[in-house]
Amino acid sequence: MTKPDTDLIIAGGGLAGATLALALARMVPSLRVTVVEAFPLSPDALPESYQPSYDARSTALAWGSRLIFEELGLWQRLAEHATPIEHIHVSDRGHFGATRLHAAEHGQAALGYVADNRWMGLCLMRELLDTNVQWRAPAEVTDMTPIPGGVRVQLSEEGEETAELTARCLVVADGGRSGLRERLGFRPDRHSYGQNALIANVSTSDSHGFTAFERFTDAGPMALLPHGSPTRAGHQSALVWTLSDEVLQQVLALPDDEKCRWLQDRFGWRLGRFTRIGTCHHYPLTLTTVDEPVRPGVALVGNAAHALHPVAGQGFNLALRGLMTLVEQFRLAEEQGRSIGDIEVLKRYQALHREDWQQTVRFSDSLVRLFGHSMLPVAAARDAGLVGLDLLPGAKRWFARKAMGLGGRRAMIERPGNLNREAPANE
Ligand SMILES: Cc1cc2nc3c(=O)[nH]c(=O)nc-3n(C[C@H](O)[C@H](O)[C@H](O)COP(=O)(O)OP(=O)(O)OC[C@H]3O[C@@H](n4cnc5c(N)ncnc54)[C@H](O)[C@@H]3O)c2cc1C
């Protein structure tokens, strides 16, 4: 191929695609990167209308993700509106089991942080303004053809096939809903949980005390994440509640004061009285994984590669670790004079990230299955498990490391400069 139009095309400028673009601008500045995004995003504005990544959700960022954002020079800005999680409380409604994690026990300021997706989008866009990353938006990647030394990518703008771009490599970060992955021949494994995540901001009469609550209820698992000022423990939490289709419709039909009562009955009084519930949004939940997320000249990242149940707040944290593994392989390829679309380069990314995504999927999925069960023996085993976690320091440390996103250790350690960057684990 003569000189391609760009070195790398990223299909999708959501959380995964935009973070990848920023990481490449910082760590492999020799690469020319073009982001193609279906929504009218630009580095200096986010649309007011719904955008699949930068919407009303909040994301629980693990401690490990903070370390990555620090490395990208993004953390200082992000931290302005990121609420620390100093404690995690896991409990089961109507049963005695509970476990508690405290940041101080792990020698850290926080176990993780909660940031609004919209705020993360604004921070990413502002940082990208000062880079040489190119944006095409609104535009969609509709197809790709392999060509010698790279790929030819078809774009469509306002529904019209408009342009072709050549590149050494295409990274698919479209979230998996646009069908691009399937059009390129990837075969995802899909399992529908038959459940939805209902999200809303809620106010409570007691302060959250920087505690994230995971509670397993007869209606489904719920998370209440501390939200609001990063310095003053306030009275607002972000609710993520997993509900069946039927129960979701029942809850949505209730007036707000009854929604609060419903919530109160199932969550209890650890946060005092629920005084307000904001606008509710909901998302159908599936587990989607792609066993082989690479082809010559193409790699999948983020939700396009693996979309998880949000109960353990792991999806984006896992994506972030995968992105950094890919960036490191691109950096090495550049250093060694190899093409970034070379299948050996991409297979190395696949091999290094594999154990992490498989373990994280197992961790999230087993929580859903274990805590989705109301059968007595399973409930008893689960409660024994929660008590056991609380009493056994080894088990609790394992759980805490998962929650803090300190999996994927091999991938992290292989990155230069990261040797001493893991949180002290007191092991
Ligand atoms: C309710 C809920 C709560 C969650 N909470 C957490 C949490 O607490 N912690 C955590 O770590 N994770 C959490 N997650 C997971 C997290 O939100 C996802 O991992 C993350 O949004 C994935 O981002 P993405 O960029 O891969 O995909 P998306 O967010 O779907 O973004 C894809 C982007 O690609 C664009 N696009 C689509 N098709 C094309 C195309 N053909 N061409 C160009 N552009 C295209 C879209 O417009 C969009 O901007 C949660 C998920 C849900 C549903």
Side-chain angles (χ1 to χ4, degrees), residues 11-12 14-16 36-39 51-53 57-60 139-141 173-175 177-178 197 199 283 302-303 310 313-317:
L15 277 171
V36 180
E37 165 54 45
F39 266 71
Q51 204 282 339
S53 238
R57 276 172 294 172
S58 304
T59 295
E140 280 182 47
V141 171
D174 70 340
R177 277 168 299 206
S178 74
I199 62 146
Y283 303 79
N303 270 20
Q314 299 275 326
F316 180 62
N317 293 299

PDB file of all heavy atoms in Angstrom, residues 11-12 14-16 36-39 51-53 57-60 139-141 173-175 177-178 197 199 283 302-303 310 313-317, ligand 1:
ATOM      1  N   ALA A  11     -13.489   3.071  14.996  1.00  0.00           N
ATOM      2  CA  ALA A  11     -14.926   3.176  14.707  1.00  0.00           C
ATOM      3  C   ALA A  11     -15.662   3.293  16.032  1.00  0.00           C
ATOM      4  O   ALA A  11     -15.800   2.315  16.755  1.00  0.00           O
ATOM      5  CB  ALA A  11     -15.408   1.953  13.939  1.00  0.00           C
ATOM      6  N   GLY A  12     -16.093   4.519  16.396  1.00  0.00           N
ATOM      7  CA  GLY A  12     -16.796   4.748  17.662  1.00  0.00           C
ATOM      8  C   GLY A  12     -15.980   5.638  18.582  1.00  0.00           C
ATOM      9  O   GLY A  12     -14.851   5.294  18.941  1.00  0.00           O
ATOM     10  N   GLY A  14     -17.062   6.634  21.643  1.00  0.00           N
ATOM     11  CA  GLY A  14     -17.626   6.545  22.994  1.00  0.00           C
ATOM     12  C   GLY A  14     -16.504   6.420  24.015  1.00  0.00           C
ATOM     13  O   GLY A  14     -15.333   6.714  23.715  1.00  0.00           O
ATOM     14  N   LEU A  15     -16.854   5.957  25.209  1.00  0.00           N
ATOM     15  CA  LEU A  15     -15.853   5.899  26.287  1.00  0.00           C
ATOM     16  C   LEU A  15     -14.611   5.123  25.863  1.00  0.00           C
ATOM     17  O   LEU A  15     -13.487   5.554  26.109  1.00  0.00           O
ATOM     18  CB  LEU A  15     -16.472   5.240  27.517  1.00  0.00           C
ATOM     19  CG  LEU A  15     -17.298   6.155  28.416  1.00  0.00           C
ATOM     20  CD1 LEU A  15     -18.042   5.347  29.478  1.00  0.00           C
ATOM     21  CD2 LEU A  15     -16.408   7.202  29.078  1.00  0.00           C
ATOM     22  N   ALA A  16     -14.824   3.961  25.214  1.00  0.00           N
ATOM     23  CA  ALA A  16     -13.660   3.144  24.846  1.00  0.00           C
ATOM     24  C   ALA A  16     -12.879   3.792  23.705  1.00  0.00           C
ATOM     25  O   ALA A  16     -11.649   3.942  23.794  1.00  0.00           O
ATOM     26  CB  ALA A  16     -14.112   1.739  24.457  1.00  0.00           C
ATOM     27  N   VAL A  36     -13.981   7.853  13.948  1.00  0.00           N
ATOM     28  CA  VAL A  36     -15.230   8.025  13.201  1.00  0.00           C
ATOM     29  C   VAL A  36     -16.355   7.761  14.183  1.00  0.00           C
ATOM     30  O   VAL A  36     -16.420   6.685  14.784  1.00  0.00           O
ATOM     31  CB  VAL A  36     -15.313   7.034  12.018  1.00  0.00           C
ATOM     32  CG1 VAL A  36     -16.616   7.232  11.246  1.00  0.00           C
ATOM     33  CG2 VAL A  36     -14.104   7.193  11.095  1.00  0.00           C
ATOM     34  N   GLU A  37     -17.239   8.733  14.404  1.00  0.00           N
ATOM     35  CA  GLU A  37     -18.280   8.606  15.430  1.00  0.00           C
ATOM     36  C   GLU A  37     -19.650   8.908  14.827  1.00  0.00           C
ATOM     37  O   GLU A  37     -19.832   9.916  14.142  1.00  0.00           O
ATOM     38  CB  GLU A  37     -17.951   9.548  16.600  1.00  0.00           C
ATOM     39  CG  GLU A  37     -19.078   9.816  17.565  1.00  0.00           C
ATOM     40  CD  GLU A  37     -19.737   8.568  18.175  1.00  0.00           C
ATOM     41  OE1 GLU A  37     -19.015   7.653  18.597  1.00  0.00           O
ATOM     42  OE2 GLU A  37     -20.990   8.534  18.200  1.00  0.00           O
ATOM     43  N   ALA A  38     -20.609   8.014  15.121  1.00  0.00           N
ATOM     44  CA  ALA A  38     -21.936   8.130  14.516  1.00  0.00           C
ATOM     45  C   ALA A  38     -22.719   9.347  15.007  1.00  0.00           C
ATOM     46  O   ALA A  38     -23.558   9.880  14.295  1.00  0.00           O
ATOM     47  CB  ALA A  38     -22.728   6.853  14.810  1.00  0.00           C
ATOM     48  N   PHE A  39     -22.459   9.776  16.252  1.00  0.00           N
ATOM     49  CA  PHE A  39     -23.194  10.938  16.790  1.00  0.00           C
ATOM     50  C   PHE A  39     -22.422  12.216  16.482  1.00  0.00           C
ATOM     51  O   PHE A  39     -21.210  12.182  16.286  1.00  0.00           O
ATOM     52  CB  PHE A  39     -23.379  10.787  18.303  1.00  0.00           C
ATOM     53  CG  PHE A  39     -24.696  10.152  18.639  1.00  0.00           C
ATOM     54  CD1 PHE A  39     -24.911   8.808  18.380  1.00  0.00           C
ATOM     55  CD2 PHE A  39     -25.722  10.904  19.184  1.00  0.00           C
ATOM     56  CE1 PHE A  39     -26.127   8.225  18.669  1.00  0.00           C
ATOM     57  CE2 PHE A  39     -26.944  10.329  19.470  1.00  0.00           C
ATOM     58  CZ  PHE A  39     -27.151   8.980  19.220  1.00  0.00           C
ATOM     59  N   GLN A  51     -26.770  10.158  23.832  1.00  0.00           N
ATOM     60  CA  GLN A  51     -25.597   9.622  23.143  1.00  0.00           C
ATOM     61  C   GLN A  51     -25.247   8.337  23.881  1.00  0.00           C
ATOM     62  O   GLN A  51     -25.194   8.344  25.113  1.00  0.00           O
ATOM     63  CB  GLN A  51     -24.457  10.643  23.199  1.00  0.00           C
ATOM     64  CG  GLN A  51     -23.408  10.516  22.106  1.00  0.00           C
ATOM     65  CD  GLN A  51     -22.435   9.399  22.385  1.00  0.00           C
ATOM     66  OE1 GLN A  51     -22.289   8.979  23.517  1.00  0.00           O
ATOM     67  NE2 GLN A  51     -21.770   8.926  21.363  1.00  0.00           N
ATOM     68  N   PRO A  52     -25.014   7.241  23.168  1.00  0.00           N
ATOM     69  CA  PRO A  52     -24.946   5.943  23.846  1.00  0.00           C
ATOM     70  C   PRO A  52     -23.895   5.840  24.953  1.00  0.00           C
ATOM     71  O   PRO A  52     -24.067   5.065  25.887  1.00  0.00           O
ATOM     72  CB  PRO A  52     -24.608   4.964  22.720  1.00  0.00           C
ATOM     73  CG  PRO A  52     -24.876   5.670  21.458  1.00  0.00           C
ATOM     74  CD  PRO A  52     -24.863   7.137  21.726  1.00  0.00           C
ATOM     75  N   SER A  53     -22.815   6.575  24.872  1.00  0.00           N
ATOM     76  CA  SER A  53     -21.794   6.447  25.915  1.00  0.00           C
ATOM     77  C   SER A  53     -21.947   7.535  26.980  1.00  0.00           C
ATOM     78  O   SER A  53     -21.934   7.257  28.166  1.00  0.00           O
ATOM     79  CB  SER A  53     -20.402   6.556  25.305  1.00  0.00           C
ATOM     80  OG  SER A  53     -19.635   5.407  25.572  1.00  0.00           O
ATOM     81  N   ARG A  57     -25.888   7.849  32.767  1.00  0.00           N
ATOM     82  CA  ARG A  57     -25.311   6.888  33.725  1.00  0.00           C
ATOM     83  C   ARG A  57     -24.129   7.480  34.500  1.00  0.00           C
ATOM     84  O   ARG A  57     -23.504   8.448  34.071  1.00  0.00           O
ATOM     85  CB  ARG A  57     -24.781   5.666  32.967  1.00  0.00           C
ATOM     86  CG  ARG A  57     -25.814   4.646  32.661  1.00  0.00           C
ATOM     87  CD  ARG A  57     -25.249   3.577  31.758  1.00  0.00           C
ATOM     88  NE  ARG A  57     -24.921   4.097  30.452  1.00  0.00           N
ATOM     89  CZ  ARG A  57     -24.274   3.415  29.517  1.00  0.00           C
ATOM     90  NH1 ARG A  57     -23.883   2.191  29.751  1.00  0.00           N
ATOM     91  NH2 ARG A  57     -24.023   3.960  28.345  1.00  0.00           N
ATOM     92  N   SER A  58     -23.830   6.839  35.615  1.00  0.00           N
ATOM     93  CA  SER A  58     -22.570   7.117  36.313  1.00  0.00           C
ATOM     94  C   SER A  58     -21.766   5.833  36.231  1.00  0.00           C
ATOM     95  O   SER A  58     -22.348   4.749  36.182  1.00  0.00           O
ATOM     96  CB  SER A  58     -22.808   7.413  37.790  1.00  0.00           C
ATOM     97  OG  SER A  58     -23.701   8.470  37.932  1.00  0.00           O
ATOM     98  N   THR A  59     -20.475   5.954  36.245  1.00  0.00           N
ATOM     99  CA  THR A  59     -19.617   4.768  36.174  1.00  0.00           C
ATOM    100  C   THR A  59     -18.796   4.661  37.448  1.00  0.00           C
ATOM    101  O   THR A  59     -18.198   5.642  37.893  1.00  0.00           O
ATOM    102  CB  THR A  59     -18.689   4.851  34.939  1.00  0.00           C
ATOM    103  OG1 THR A  59     -19.504   4.797  33.776  1.00  0.00           O
ATOM    104  CG2 THR A  59     -17.691   3.715  34.891  1.00  0.00           C
ATOM    105  N   ALA A  60     -18.786   3.457  38.026  1.00  0.00           N
ATOM    106  CA  ALA A  60     -17.897   3.190  39.155  1.00  0.00           C
ATOM    107  C   ALA A  60     -16.530   2.855  38.579  1.00  0.00           C
ATOM    108  O   ALA A  60     -16.381   1.854  37.879  1.00  0.00           O
ATOM    109  CB  ALA A  60     -18.434   2.031  39.985  1.00  0.00           C
ATOM    110  N   ALA A 139     -20.565  10.392  11.430  1.00  0.00           N
ATOM    111  CA  ALA A 139     -20.242   9.491  10.308  1.00  0.00           C
ATOM    112  C   ALA A 139     -20.178   8.081  10.858  1.00  0.00           C
ATOM    113  O   ALA A 139     -19.867   7.891  12.043  1.00  0.00           O
ATOM    114  CB  ALA A 139     -18.904   9.873   9.690  1.00  0.00           C
ATOM    115  N   GLU A 140     -20.486   7.111  10.022  1.00  0.00           N
ATOM    116  CA  GLU A 140     -20.446   5.719  10.488  1.00  0.00           C
ATOM    117  C   GLU A 140     -19.490   4.910   9.648  1.00  0.00           C
ATOM    118  O   GLU A 140     -19.405   5.128   8.431  1.00  0.00           O
ATOM    119  CB  GLU A 140     -21.827   5.084  10.377  1.00  0.00           C
ATOM    120  CG  GLU A 140     -22.739   5.464  11.505  1.00  0.00           C
ATOM    121  CD  GLU A 140     -24.090   4.794  11.404  1.00  0.00           C
ATOM    122  OE1 GLU A 140     -24.117   3.562  11.169  1.00  0.00           O
ATOM    123  OE2 GLU A 140     -25.092   5.509  11.541  1.00  0.00           O
ATOM    124  N   VAL A 141     -18.806   3.973  10.285  1.00  0.00           N
ATOM    125  CA  VAL A 141     -18.055   2.977   9.528  1.00  0.00           C
ATOM    126  C   VAL A 141     -19.069   1.901   9.159  1.00  0.00           C
ATOM    127  O   VAL A 141     -19.739   1.357  10.030  1.00  0.00           O
ATOM    128  CB  VAL A 141     -16.918   2.377  10.379  1.00  0.00           C
ATOM    129  CG1 VAL A 141     -16.294   1.188   9.673  1.00  0.00           C
ATOM    130  CG2 VAL A 141     -15.872   3.442  10.689  1.00  0.00           C
ATOM    131  N   ALA A 173     -14.770   0.077  18.029  1.00  0.00           N
ATOM    132  CA  ALA A 173     -15.179   0.464  19.395  1.00  0.00           C
ATOM    133  C   ALA A 173     -16.602   0.991  19.315  1.00  0.00           C
ATOM    134  O   ALA A 173     -16.941   2.009  19.901  1.00  0.00           O
ATOM    135  CB  ALA A 173     -14.227   1.532  19.933  1.00  0.00           C
ATOM    136  N   ASP A 174     -17.456   0.263  18.567  1.00  0.00           N
ATOM    137  CA  ASP A 174     -18.818   0.764  18.303  1.00  0.00           C
ATOM    138  C   ASP A 174     -19.819   0.289  19.344  1.00  0.00           C
ATOM    139  O   ASP A 174     -21.020   0.498  19.179  1.00  0.00           O
ATOM    140  CB  ASP A 174     -19.276   0.342  16.895  1.00  0.00           C
ATOM    141  CG  ASP A 174     -19.536  -1.157  16.814  1.00  0.00           C
ATOM    142  OD1 ASP A 174     -19.009  -1.888  17.681  1.00  0.00           O
ATOM    143  OD2 ASP A 174     -20.249  -1.596  15.902  1.00  0.00           O
ATOM    144  N   GLY A 175     -19.354  -0.350  20.416  1.00  0.00           N
ATOM    145  CA  GLY A 175     -20.253  -0.805  21.472  1.00  0.00           C
ATOM    146  C   GLY A 175     -20.967  -2.107  21.118  1.00  0.00           C
ATOM    147  O   GLY A 175     -21.658  -2.685  21.940  1.00  0.00           O
ATOM    148  N   ARG A 177     -23.460  -2.588  19.049  1.00  0.00           N
ATOM    149  CA  ARG A 177     -24.872  -2.544  18.674  1.00  0.00           C
ATOM    150  C   ARG A 177     -25.085  -2.204  17.201  1.00  0.00           C
ATOM    151  O   ARG A 177     -26.157  -2.362  16.667  1.00  0.00           O
ATOM    152  CB  ARG A 177     -25.625  -1.524  19.533  1.00  0.00           C
ATOM    153  CG  ARG A 177     -26.039  -2.112  20.868  1.00  0.00           C
ATOM    154  CD  ARG A 177     -26.505  -1.047  21.796  1.00  0.00           C
ATOM    155  NE  ARG A 177     -25.440  -0.087  22.066  1.00  0.00           N
ATOM    156  CZ  ARG A 177     -25.343   0.642  23.155  1.00  0.00           C
ATOM    157  NH1 ARG A 177     -26.262   0.550  24.068  1.00  0.00           N
ATOM    158  NH2 ARG A 177     -24.350   1.477  23.337  1.00  0.00           N
ATOM    159  N   SER A 178     -24.043  -1.691  16.532  1.00  0.00           N
ATOM    160  CA  SER A 178     -24.258  -1.217  15.162  1.00  0.00           C
ATOM    161  C   SER A 178     -24.196  -2.344  14.138  1.00  0.00           C
ATOM    162  O   SER A 178     -24.511  -2.135  12.977  1.00  0.00           O
ATOM    163  CB  SER A 178     -23.230  -0.145  14.806  1.00  0.00           C
ATOM    164  OG  SER A 178     -21.966  -0.728  14.596  1.00  0.00           O
ATOM    165  N   ALA A 197     -31.238  -2.974  33.459  1.00  0.00           N
ATOM    166  CA  ALA A 197     -30.694  -2.125  34.519  1.00  0.00           C
ATOM    167  C   ALA A 197     -31.501  -0.843  34.525  1.00  0.00           C
ATOM    168  O   ALA A 197     -31.587  -0.159  33.506  1.00  0.00           O
ATOM    169  CB  ALA A 197     -29.237  -1.826  34.254  1.00  0.00           C
ATOM    170  N   ILE A 199     -31.638   2.843  35.986  1.00  0.00           N
ATOM    171  CA  ILE A 199     -30.737   3.782  36.664  1.00  0.00           C
ATOM    172  C   ILE A 199     -31.467   5.094  36.966  1.00  0.00           C
ATOM    173  O   ILE A 199     -32.362   5.504  36.226  1.00  0.00           O
ATOM    174  CB  ILE A 199     -29.470   4.090  35.835  1.00  0.00           C
ATOM    175  CG1 ILE A 199     -29.842   4.763  34.517  1.00  0.00           C
ATOM    176  CG2 ILE A 199     -28.623   2.877  35.586  1.00  0.00           C
ATOM    177  CD1 ILE A 199     -28.796   5.749  34.097  1.00  0.00           C
ATOM    178  N   TYR A 283     -31.768  -0.130  30.589  1.00  0.00           N
ATOM    179  CA  TYR A 283     -30.936  -0.775  29.568  1.00  0.00           C
ATOM    180  C   TYR A 283     -31.135  -2.289  29.643  1.00  0.00           C
ATOM    181  O   TYR A 283     -31.043  -2.858  30.741  1.00  0.00           O
ATOM    182  CB  TYR A 283     -29.441  -0.496  29.845  1.00  0.00           C
ATOM    183  CG  TYR A 283     -29.120   0.966  29.908  1.00  0.00           C
ATOM    184  CD1 TYR A 283     -29.399   1.710  31.058  1.00  0.00           C
ATOM    185  CD2 TYR A 283     -28.553   1.616  28.819  1.00  0.00           C
ATOM    186  CE1 TYR A 283     -29.128   3.068  31.119  1.00  0.00           C
ATOM    187  CE2 TYR A 283     -28.285   2.972  28.874  1.00  0.00           C
ATOM    188  CZ  TYR A 283     -28.577   3.697  30.030  1.00  0.00           C
ATOM    189  OH  TYR A 283     -28.319   5.034  30.078  1.00  0.00           O
ATOM    190  N   GLY A 302     -13.518  -2.604  24.028  1.00  0.00           N
ATOM    191  CA  GLY A 302     -14.682  -2.116  24.784  1.00  0.00           C
ATOM    192  C   GLY A 302     -15.850  -3.083  24.675  1.00  0.00           C
ATOM    193  O   GLY A 302     -15.673  -4.297  24.588  1.00  0.00           O
ATOM    194  N   ASN A 303     -17.072  -2.531  24.677  1.00  0.00           N
ATOM    195  CA  ASN A 303     -18.269  -3.368  24.620  1.00  0.00           C
ATOM    196  C   ASN A 303     -18.359  -4.187  23.344  1.00  0.00           C
ATOM    197  O   ASN A 303     -19.053  -5.198  23.320  1.00  0.00           O
ATOM    198  CB  ASN A 303     -19.532  -2.505  24.762  1.00  0.00           C
ATOM    199  CG  ASN A 303     -19.945  -2.363  26.210  1.00  0.00           C
ATOM    200  OD1 ASN A 303     -19.131  -2.565  27.113  1.00  0.00           O
ATOM    201  ND2 ASN A 303     -21.196  -2.014  26.440  1.00  0.00           N
ATOM    202  N   PRO A 310     -23.878  -5.115  34.572  1.00  0.00           N
ATOM    203  CA  PRO A 310     -23.230  -4.028  35.334  1.00  0.00           C
ATOM    204  C   PRO A 310     -23.195  -4.233  36.847  1.00  0.00           C
ATOM    205  O   PRO A 310     -22.706  -3.369  37.559  1.00  0.00           O
ATOM    206  CB  PRO A 310     -24.088  -2.807  34.984  1.00  0.00           C
ATOM    207  CG  PRO A 310     -25.415  -3.346  34.633  1.00  0.00           C
ATOM    208  CD  PRO A 310     -25.199  -4.727  34.082  1.00  0.00           C
ATOM    209  N   GLY A 313     -19.973  -3.508  38.290  1.00  0.00           N
ATOM    210  CA  GLY A 313     -19.330  -2.277  37.807  1.00  0.00           C
ATOM    211  C   GLY A 313     -17.972  -2.535  37.181  1.00  0.00           C
ATOM    212  O   GLY A 313     -17.002  -1.834  37.454  1.00  0.00           O
ATOM    213  N   GLN A 314     -17.880  -3.554  36.327  1.00  0.00           N
ATOM    214  CA  GLN A 314     -16.554  -3.948  35.817  1.00  0.00           C
ATOM    215  C   GLN A 314     -16.352  -3.632  34.336  1.00  0.00           C
ATOM    216  O   GLN A 314     -15.223  -3.648  33.858  1.00  0.00           O
ATOM    217  CB  GLN A 314     -16.364  -5.461  36.007  1.00  0.00           C
ATOM    218  CG  GLN A 314     -16.403  -5.936  37.439  1.00  0.00           C
ATOM    219  CD  GLN A 314     -15.072  -5.823  38.133  1.00  0.00           C
ATOM    220  OE1 GLN A 314     -14.036  -6.000  37.500  1.00  0.00           O
ATOM    221  NE2 GLN A 314     -15.075  -5.531  39.399  1.00  0.00           N
ATOM    222  N   GLY A 315     -17.446  -3.373  33.581  1.00  0.00           N
ATOM    223  CA  GLY A 315     -17.355  -3.324  32.119  1.00  0.00           C
ATOM    224  C   GLY A 315     -16.333  -2.330  31.592  1.00  0.00           C
ATOM    225  O   GLY A 315     -15.418  -2.699  30.842  1.00  0.00           O
ATOM    226  N   PHE A 316     -16.463  -1.067  31.993  1.00  0.00           N
ATOM    227  CA  PHE A 316     -15.537  -0.077  31.455  1.00  0.00           C
ATOM    228  C   PHE A 316     -14.143  -0.249  32.051  1.00  0.00           C
ATOM    229  O   PHE A 316     -13.136  -0.055  31.368  1.00  0.00           O
ATOM    230  CB  PHE A 316     -16.066   1.349  31.694  1.00  0.00           C
ATOM    231  CG  PHE A 316     -15.129   2.384  31.157  1.00  0.00           C
ATOM    232  CD1 PHE A 316     -14.842   2.436  29.794  1.00  0.00           C
ATOM    233  CD2 PHE A 316     -14.507   3.283  31.997  1.00  0.00           C
ATOM    234  CE1 PHE A 316     -13.940   3.366  29.285  1.00  0.00           C
ATOM    235  CE2 PHE A 316     -13.610   4.221  31.496  1.00  0.00           C
ATOM    236  CZ  PHE A 316     -13.332   4.267  30.139  1.00  0.00           C
ATOM    237  N   ASN A 317     -14.094  -0.654  33.315  1.00  0.00           N
ATOM    238  CA  ASN A 317     -12.776  -0.861  33.933  1.00  0.00           C
ATOM    239  C   ASN A 317     -11.986  -1.935  33.195  1.00  0.00           C
ATOM    240  O   ASN A 317     -10.786  -1.790  32.945  1.00  0.00           O
ATOM    241  CB  ASN A 317     -12.963  -1.264  35.405  1.00  0.00           C
ATOM    242  CG  ASN A 317     -13.538  -0.126  36.224  1.00  0.00           C
ATOM    243  OD1 ASN A 317     -12.923   0.923  36.328  1.00  0.00           O
ATOM    244  ND2 ASN A 317     -14.729  -0.311  36.773  1.00  0.00           N
TER     245      ASN A 317
HETATM  246  C1  LIG B   1     -26.559   0.496  33.352  1.00  0.00           C
HETATM  247  C2  LIG B   1     -25.088   0.319  33.159  1.00  0.00           C
HETATM  248  C3  LIG B   1     -24.205   0.668  34.179  1.00  0.00           C
HETATM  249  C4  LIG B   1     -22.852   0.493  34.007  1.00  0.00           C
HETATM  250  N1  LIG B   1     -22.012   0.787  35.047  1.00  0.00           N
HETATM  251  C5  LIG B   1     -20.697   0.562  34.923  1.00  0.00           C
HETATM  252  C6  LIG B   1     -19.818   0.840  36.015  1.00  0.00           C
HETATM  253  O1  LIG B   1     -20.247   1.290  37.082  1.00  0.00           O
HETATM  254  N2  LIG B   1     -18.482   0.595  35.847  1.00  0.00           N
HETATM  255  C7  LIG B   1     -17.985   0.090  34.680  1.00  0.00           C
HETATM  256  O2  LIG B   1     -16.771  -0.122  34.584  1.00  0.00           O
HETATM  257  N3  LIG B   1     -18.799  -0.152  33.622  1.00  0.00           N
HETATM  258  C8  LIG B   1     -20.124   0.078  33.714  1.00  0.00           C
HETATM  259  N4  LIG B   1     -20.952  -0.159  32.658  1.00  0.00           N
HETATM  260  C9  LIG B   1     -20.355  -0.579  31.357  1.00  0.00           C
HETATM  261  C10 LIG B   1     -19.910   0.644  30.526  1.00  0.00           C
HETATM  262  O3  LIG B   1     -20.938   1.583  30.446  1.00  0.00           O
HETATM  263  C11 LIG B   1     -19.480   0.204  29.141  1.00  0.00           C
HETATM  264  O4  LIG B   1     -18.429  -0.709  29.305  1.00  0.00           O
HETATM  265  C12 LIG B   1     -18.996   1.364  28.299  1.00  0.00           C
HETATM  266  O5  LIG B   1     -20.007   2.302  28.089  1.00  0.00           O
HETATM  267  C13 LIG B   1     -18.546   0.802  26.937  1.00  0.00           C
HETATM  268  O6  LIG B   1     -18.193   1.836  26.121  1.00  0.00           O
HETATM  269  P1  LIG B   1     -17.934   1.594  24.560  1.00  0.00           P
HETATM  270  O7  LIG B   1     -17.256   2.840  24.118  1.00  0.00           O
HETATM  271  O8  LIG B   1     -17.277   0.291  24.310  1.00  0.00           O
HETATM  272  O9  LIG B   1     -19.393   1.454  23.898  1.00  0.00           O
HETATM  273  P2  LIG B   1     -20.568   2.521  23.784  1.00  0.00           P
HETATM  274  O10 LIG B   1     -20.684   3.261  25.047  1.00  0.00           O
HETATM  275  O11 LIG B   1     -21.774   1.811  23.281  1.00  0.00           O
HETATM  276  O12 LIG B   1     -20.074   3.526  22.637  1.00  0.00           O
HETATM  277  C14 LIG B   1     -20.037   3.164  21.275  1.00  0.00           C
HETATM  278  C15 LIG B   1     -19.852   4.416  20.422  1.00  0.00           C
HETATM  279  O13 LIG B   1     -19.734   4.024  19.044  1.00  0.00           O
HETATM  280  C16 LIG B   1     -20.578   4.847  18.229  1.00  0.00           C
HETATM  281  N5  LIG B   1     -20.923   4.013  17.050  1.00  0.00           N
HETATM  282  C17 LIG B   1     -21.779   2.963  17.002  1.00  0.00           C
HETATM  283  N6  LIG B   1     -21.739   2.396  15.772  1.00  0.00           N
HETATM  284  C18 LIG B   1     -20.835   3.096  15.035  1.00  0.00           C
HETATM  285  C19 LIG B   1     -20.341   2.978  13.692  1.00  0.00           C
HETATM  286  N7  LIG B   1     -20.733   2.009  12.871  1.00  0.00           N
HETATM  287  N8  LIG B   1     -19.435   3.879  13.260  1.00  0.00           N
HETATM  288  C20 LIG B   1     -19.007   4.867  14.084  1.00  0.00           C
HETATM  289  N9  LIG B   1     -19.453   5.013  15.370  1.00  0.00           N
HETATM  290  C21 LIG B   1     -20.330   4.138  15.844  1.00  0.00           C
HETATM  291  C22 LIG B   1     -21.756   5.206  19.139  1.00  0.00           C
HETATM  292  O14 LIG B   1     -22.411   6.386  18.707  1.00  0.00           O
HETATM  293  C23 LIG B   1     -21.045   5.370  20.498  1.00  0.00           C
HETATM  294  O15 LIG B   1     -20.548   6.676  20.683  1.00  0.00           O
HETATM  295  C24 LIG B   1     -22.332  -0.015  32.777  1.00  0.00           C
HETATM  296  C25 LIG B   1     -23.201  -0.351  31.745  1.00  0.00           C
HETATM  297  C26 LIG B   1     -24.574  -0.198  31.936  1.00  0.00           C
HETATM  298  C27 LIG B   1     -25.505  -0.594  30.808  1.00  0.00           C
END
